[in-house]
Amino acid sequence: MREVIEELLKLENTRQNLSRLRSLIKEQECKEQVYELLKEHEDLLISFLASEDAKTRKNAALLIGDLQISQLADALFKAYESENTRFVKSSYLTALLQLDIPQLVPELTEHKKLLEQTEITEENRKHVDEELREINKILIKYNGIKQHTPILEGVRAELLLTTNKLHREIVRRQLPVKETKLHPLGVIVKTDNIRLIMKVRTYRQMYFMINAEGLLSGNEREMAAQLWKSDMYDILRRMHRESGPFYYRIESSADGEFQSRLSATLDRLSGGKLINSANNYEIVIKLIQTRDGSYFPCLRLCSVKDDRFAYRKNVLSTSIHPSTAALLVELAKPYLKENAQIMDPFCGVGTMLIERKLAVPAREIYATDIYGDAIEMGRENARIAKTGINFIHRDFFDFKHDYKFDELITDMPVRGKQTRSEMELFYERFFDKAKQILATDGIIVMYSNEIGFVKKQIRLRPEYKLLQETCILDKKGFYLFVIRYIV
């Protein structure tokens, strides 16, 4: 590192050494050392911004940003204003984003206006888009984004409620409106009262349907034009009390470069009414690819807060999605009784039990898990949900209780690194243990992807009767089983 800096001071291999320093300072310790070695040579760094070599100017600007030398902000900005090489200009802005520059916000706002008026050609399109993107990041950093107030009642909306494809009718049946129809991704509903729709717990996500006169196809310019000509912006205006600009991000399976070009073109077409922002946004434009390569567009409004699962403060990577848990409970509802004594043997963070309690009142609820952190997380989730669950850090197979339970409800552990024989033994032990703690006519509500082991244990044990078997995820083999214990 010292050798690199010594060469820089001698003006040797300047471009390469600036680039090497940028690589070295990715570690914080090296960054601090480089800063200490260069802080007495700020004039040298400024001189590199005036180099005849464009890549030297670019690397010098980026290094100043990486080192967060805010006292050089004015020099960086002047270099940006005087820069004539398009591919370098955005680098100054990338550097300025890392510095403390509130005093430059007014001037950058004016530069943004000028850029938006720039005539776009094939040669300058990419670099103008990059400049605008970096300026927007800086302006959002200091100005924030304009927050919009959603209108949830009295405005007609067409929604797509995504859900498990095999059980769309469950969601449809729960909707408190008549205008519904099935869609490959879920259920479409027309309503003027979104608050009512948001009381339904079995759908996963709510999107606003975009009428774009067909699916989106073609290159990024054609797709951006289709989006802008659609009713997308009209939806945003109708569903919010305030006007634009609306900050958005695109969510798609398309590669990042394509999404960048698409968003840049859309920004330009909208004339500043839509602004792409990867980290600060209120709108998600969801593009779902179809089998023929075209895209189905819809909108998710982050301004519409979904509080259905607000209790779920803590979550593990293995946790069941709450909408799936709600769906399972709804499917098993004919067998659930009020004021039952319930237990989840493998509770995780408590999602299954919480959704069960919210669906049908229960008396005593117990939860066990061998993972202590999950127990603590579950306790906090249950407190937020006000469900009164007794969490116990214990192996289910060692659990004992004074009275028996009316119901076991659980998301069974997946196989993971266990062998087939180990997993078969696990299910055998589970059904043995269930007999010890279930009351006569008690039931097991089980979510599992081990249909073979479940069916085998029921077949071998006449005391268990299969009441319901429902496929939930066909490709992954997950099923809901409702099983009665009969002495």
Side-chain angles (χ1 to χ4, degrees):
M1 182 172 60
R2 287 183 178 274
E3 293 177 4
V4 174
I5 293 177
E6 285 175 5
E7 285 191 10
L8 269 183
L9 297 177
K10 296 175 184 178
L11 303 182
E12 297 175 359
N13 302 316
T14 303
R15 183 210 299 180
Q16 295 87 339
N17 283 321
L18 287 170
S19 181
R20 288 175 65 190
L21 274 184
R22 292 198 66 225
S23 297
L24 289 170
I25 64 175
K26 288 179 180 178
E27 294 186 13
Q28 184 62 32
E29 185 178 341
C30 291
K31 179 177 177 179
E32 292 170 359
Q33 292 177 13
V34 171
Y35 179 81
E36 287 299 317
L37 291 169
L38 286 179
K39 69 179 182 180
E40 302 298 328
H41 303 282
E42 292 177 358
D43 288 344
L44 180 66
L45 291 174
I46 293 173
S47 72
F48 291 151
L49 297 176
S51 170
E52 292 183 0
D53 179 62
K55 290 188 176 179
T56 296
R57 300 195 299 273
K58 177 179 179 177
N59 287 336
L62 292 171
L63 180 63
I64 291 170
D66 292 341
L67 293 173
Q68 297 176 309
I69 309 175
S70 290
Q71 57 267 34
L72 297 186
D74 288 339
L76 261 180
F77 187 67
K78 288 177 182 176
Y80 163 69
E81 289 187 305
S82 60
E83 181 62 61
N84 293 316
T85 304
R86 276 287 180 192
F87 81 86
V88 179
K89 287 184 76 70
S90 64
S91 300
Y92 297 104
L93 298 168
T94 301
L96 287 168
L97 178 63
Q98 300 181 75
L99 308 183
D100 187 24
I101 56 164
Q103 75 280 5
L104 295 177
V105 169
E107 292 179 79
L108 286 167
T109 302
E110 291 303 312
H111 274 279
K112 178 185 175 181
K113 293 177 182 177
L114 291 173
L115 278 171
E116 289 173 338
Q117 296 168 9
T118 300
E119 181 182 353
I120 301 298
T121 65
E122 287 299 322
E123 290 73 24
N124 71 12
R125 181 185 302 274
K126 176 182 176 181
H127 302 305
V128 170
D129 288 346
E130 286 176 350
E131 274 190 75
L132 275 171
R133 192 177 298 117
E134 295 305 311
I135 286 182
N136 278 329
K137 288 179 184 177
I138 296 172
L139 296 182
I140 291 170
K141 175 182 176 181
Y142 291 99
N143 298 334
I145 67 172
K146 182 178 180 179
Q147 300 293 328
H148 292 82
T149 309
I151 302 173
L152 302 180
E153 297 175 11
V155 178
R156 190 78 166 161
E158 185 176 24
L159 308 173
L160 169 63
L161 307 178
T162 62
T163 189
N164 180 296
K165 69 176 182 179
L166 298 178
H167 302 289
R168 294 169 293 173
E169 279 291 355
I170 293 290
V171 174
R172 188 180 190 179
R173 190 173 68 212
Q174 291 183 302
L175 293 170
V177 295
K178 294 181 179 179
E179 291 187 78
T180 65
K181 65 178 180 179
L182 299 184
H183 183 277
L185 298 173
V187 181
I188 293 175
V189 55
K190 294 181 180 179
T191 182
D192 59 1
N193 193 335
I194 292 175
R195 291 188 194 278
L196 279 179
I197 303 301
M198 295 182 71
K199 292 180 180 180
V200 176
R201 306 182 71 78
T202 50
Y203 69 85
R204 180 164 290 220
Q205 193 66 263
M206 180 175 74
Y207 292 98
F208 288 74
M209 298 286 287
I210 295 175
N211 179 13
E213 297 184 354
L215 299 173
L216 306 186
S217 60
N219 61 34
E220 66 273 11
R221 295 181 212 173
E222 293 168 334
M223 288 175 63
Q226 284 178 277
L227 278 172
W228 186 242
K229 289 177 183 177
S230 74
D231 63 349
M232 180 177 68
Y233 186 71
D234 182 54
I235 293 171
L236 297 178
R237 283 293 297 114
R238 286 189 294 108
M239 299 308 304
H240 296 95
R241 299 194 185 283
E242 303 84 5
S243 60
F246 292 94
Y247 292 84
Y248 73 94
R249 76 174 178 89
I250 291 175
E251 189 175 284
S252 168
S253 59
D255 65 77
E257 280 296 318
F258 183 88
Q259 291 186 50
S260 293
R261 296 193 300 270
L262 174 62
S263 60
T265 307
L266 186 57
D267 286 0
R268 246 185 278 111
L269 288 174
S270 75
K273 294 176 181 177
L274 297 174
I275 298 174
N276 178 244
S277 175
N279 298 314
N280 295 279
Y281 55 86
E282 283 188 303
I283 312 300
V284 175
I285 301 175
K286 177 82 170 177
L287 304 179
I288 303 169
Q289 192 166 24
T290 63
R291 290 181 180 179
D292 67 0
S294 56
Y295 290 88
F296 167 75
C298 52
L299 284 174
R300 178 161 61 87
L301 306 188
C302 304
S303 54
V304 178
K305 302 302 181 186
D306 185 355
D307 294 325
R308 293 176 301 156
F309 310 114
Y311 67 81
R312 205 164 181 254
K313 180 179 178 181
N314 302 306
V315 62
L316 296 169
S317 60
T318 55
S319 297
I320 190 170
H321 193 278
S323 68
T324 301
L327 174 66
L328 298 175
V329 170
E330 184 64 25
L331 286 166
K333 206 168 186 178
Y335 304 99
L336 308 180
K337 66 179 185 180
E338 292 190 14
N339 299 317
Q341 296 178 154
I342 305 168
M343 180 185 181
D344 185 342
F346 317 108
C347 65
V349 298
T351 307
M352 284 285 283
L353 281 175
I354 292 171
E355 290 301 321
R356 163 62 179 84
K357 175 69 180 294
L358 292 173
V360 180
R363 186 160 74 238
E364 293 288 337
I365 307 178
Y366 281 78
T368 59
D369 204 291
I370 60 173
Y371 185 38
D373 287 350
I375 291 294
E376 291 303 318
M377 293 176 182
R379 283 175 181 153
E380 186 171 15
N381 287 349
R383 279 197 298 271
I384 296 170
K386 300 178 181 178
T387 47
I389 299 171
N390 301 294
F391 284 87
I392 302 171
H393 181 198
R394 189 171 302 167
D395 190 328
F396 166 63
F397 299 110
D398 297 327
F399 177 75
K400 295 180 182 179
H401 202 260
D402 292 338
Y403 55 78
K404 295 192 174 183
F405 293 91
D406 302 304
E407 181 184 318
L408 297 183
I409 181 168
T410 194
D411 173 17
M412 295 291 279
V414 295
R415 188 177 303 185
K417 295 181 179 180
Q418 292 178 302
T419 64
R420 177 179 173 81
S421 58
E422 288 173 335
M423 205 65 185
E424 184 172 10
L425 177 61
F426 172 81
Y427 272 81
E428 183 179 335
R429 293 180 66 207
F430 172 81
F431 279 94
D432 281 339
K433 181 66 177 181
K435 289 194 298 185
Q436 299 173 21
I437 65 172
L438 270 176
T440 301
D441 289 334
I443 66 166
I444 300 171
V445 178
M446 174 193 294
Y447 185 50
S448 170
N449 68 337
E450 299 286 0
I451 185 171
F453 296 147
V454 176
K455 290 289 203 61
K456 180 178 179 179
Q457 292 304 316
I458 295 173
R459 188 171 63 253
L460 294 174
R461 301 164 186 267
E463 64 270 27
Y464 288 110
K465 179 182 179 182
L466 181 61
L467 302 178
Q468 180 177 321
E469 173 190 329
T470 308
C471 183
I472 305 299
L473 297 174
D474 52 353
K475 289 184 179 179
K476 296 184 179 181
F478 277 92
Y479 283 76
L480 169 69
F481 300 96
V482 181
I483 306 160
R484 187 176 300 284
Y485 172 59
I486 305 169
V487 178

